[in-house]
């Protein structure tokens, strides 16, 4: 499968979002299908696939911190995205909230993809505290809207991602590098499974149906690397920001041929004990001697319980697009095998049979 026909797309939105996406692609390799989009034409100068948002409206100079201008720019230009996303079934969106384009255009793009039946997983940074209250407010204003529209979203506060000790320029660069390597590890996990395979359907279902999640990764080496990985994860501020009960945990271990079974066990047990012993747990490995010789990288994604009724009723008149998509797809569910619920009375809520898996009700094809 070539980079331009792959069903999973990495999409960078805004200037920092595009910079991070470029870093992910660099870390993963050229085979990754990737499109960048920004109101600032200079984000498209490096030869990647690029869509300029709001050409006439903003003349390629960026949205100047104005999310409304960026939203309108995105609305003008969404059709220009379509030829670049042909055949895409899952878009992994990388964006940075706080400025104009990341905050204003991301939501419009998610809605557009959603209307085309494309599932979306969003990694969104939120501003450093030192950037000031205005940027924080812009970011906060859009977070819950993104959460409602995207299939899964991971908010990553920049302060927690890299700490705030460095001077601004260094911190920004470190944030790009850190996030790029984290997302590229996640990419490897879904694209290049190792000896212990993730249950592909389960993981895809988790991802397209989870709402807000938490995401962190660590890299360790040395004789106690497995225990050290667990310690670091337990102390990771990114995993500590809990908002809802844990629904499921996905743990990926990326390592070379020297990964011992006992290490894998220690990591799996440690992560379960730390973040949820009685929730569903998926473990996957990637074996790559060249990339991980002597090192182990552990990626943890914690999915929080979705309050379906809250999500649907909180969407206002007409509901959000995810809900509308679910409704549109609900007509299909009558013809669908209800599996182990086939002998039970259906749980009908707003015309939907909730015992039919959401990905079927939404008519989302999981065969990436
Ligand atoms: N990690 C990282 N974050 C950055 C960098 N530059 C900006 N940011 C973050 O990204 C947020 C959005 O900034 P930009 O990406 O420059 O803004 P934009 O989305 O392009 O919006 P406009 O330029 O106003 O159109 C900022 O508030 C910062 O938190 C960077 O180089 N690295
Ligand atoms: Mg910009």
């Amino acid at each position: 499968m070539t980079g331009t026909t792959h069903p999973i797309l990495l999409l960078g939105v805004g200037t920092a979002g595009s910079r991070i996406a470029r870093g992910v692609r660099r870390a993963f390799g050229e085979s990754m299908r990737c499109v960048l989009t920004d109101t600032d034409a200079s984000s498209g100068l490096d030869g990647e696939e690029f869509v300029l948002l709001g050409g006439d409206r903003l003349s390629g100079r960026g949205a100047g911190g104005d999310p409304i201008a960026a939203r309108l720019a995105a609305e003008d230009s969404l059709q220009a995205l379509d030829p670049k996303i042909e055949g895409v079934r899952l878009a992994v969106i990388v964006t940075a909230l706080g400025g104009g384009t990341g905050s204003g255009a991301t939501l419009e793009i998610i809605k557009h993809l959603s209307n085309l039946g494309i599932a979306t997983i969003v990694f969104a940074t939120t501003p450093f505290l030192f950037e000031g209250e205005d940027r924080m407010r812009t970011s906060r204003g859009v977070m819950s809207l993104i959460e409602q529209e995207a299939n899964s979203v991971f908010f990553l506060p920049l302060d927690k991602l890299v700490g705030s000790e460095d001077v601004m320029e260094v911190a920004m660069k470190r944030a790009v590098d850190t996030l790029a390597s984290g997302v590229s590890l996640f990419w490897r996990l879904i694209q290049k499974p190792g000896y212990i395979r993730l249950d592909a359907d389960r993981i895809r279902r988790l991802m397209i149906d989870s709402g807000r999640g938490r995401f962190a990764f660590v890299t360790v080496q040395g004789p106690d690397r497995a225990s050290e990985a667990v310690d670091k994860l337990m102390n990771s501020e990114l995993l500590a920001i809990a908002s809802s009960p844990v629904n499921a945990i996905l743990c990926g271990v990326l390592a070379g041929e020297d990964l011992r079974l006992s290490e894998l066990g220690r990591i799996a047990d440690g992560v379960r004990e730390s973040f949820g012993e009685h929730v569903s747990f998926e473990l996957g490995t990637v074996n790559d001697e060249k990339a991980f010789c002597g090192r182990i990288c552990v990626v943890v994604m914690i999915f929080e319980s979705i309050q379906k009724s809250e999500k649907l009723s909180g969407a206002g008149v007409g509901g959000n697009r995810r809900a509308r998509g679910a409704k549109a797809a609900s007509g299909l569910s009558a013809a669908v095998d209800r599996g182990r619920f086939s002998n039970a009375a259906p749980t009908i809520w707003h015309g939907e049979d909730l015992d039919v898996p959401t990905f079927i009700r939404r008519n989302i094809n999981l065969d990436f």
Side-chain angles (χ1 to χ4, degrees), residues 14-16 38-40 43 61-65 100-102:
T15 309
D38 194 0
T39 54
D40 185 337
S43 286
R61 289 196 299 267
T101 307

Side-chain angles (χ1 to χ4, degrees), residues 238-296:
L238 287 170
L239 295 181
I241 322 157
S243 47
S244 310
V246 174
N247 182 35
I249 299 171
L250 170 64
C251 176
V253 180
L254 301 95
E257 297 292 333
D258 58 347
L259 176 68
R260 291 190 300 276
L261 214 54
S262 59
E263 292 180 310
L264 201 55
R266 198 164 310 138
I267 292 169
D269 290 347
V271 169
R272 289 184 93 139
E273 278 164 25
S274 309
F275 301 106
E277 274 186 284
H278 304 292
V279 300
S280 122
F281 182 82
E282 299 288 333
L283 178 69
T285 63
V286 171
N287 289 92
D288 185 334
E289 187 55 36
K290 261 211 314 245
F292 300 105
C293 174
R295 295 181 305 138
I296 301 183

Side-chain angles (χ1 to χ4, degrees), residues 193-209:
Y195 298 138
I196 298 186
R197 285 178 164 270
L198 289 160
D199 172 348
D201 276 351
R202 167 92 188 122
I203 168 179
R204 285 164 191 155
R205 228 172 296 154
L206 271 181
M207 284 182 204
I208 63 169
D209 212 9

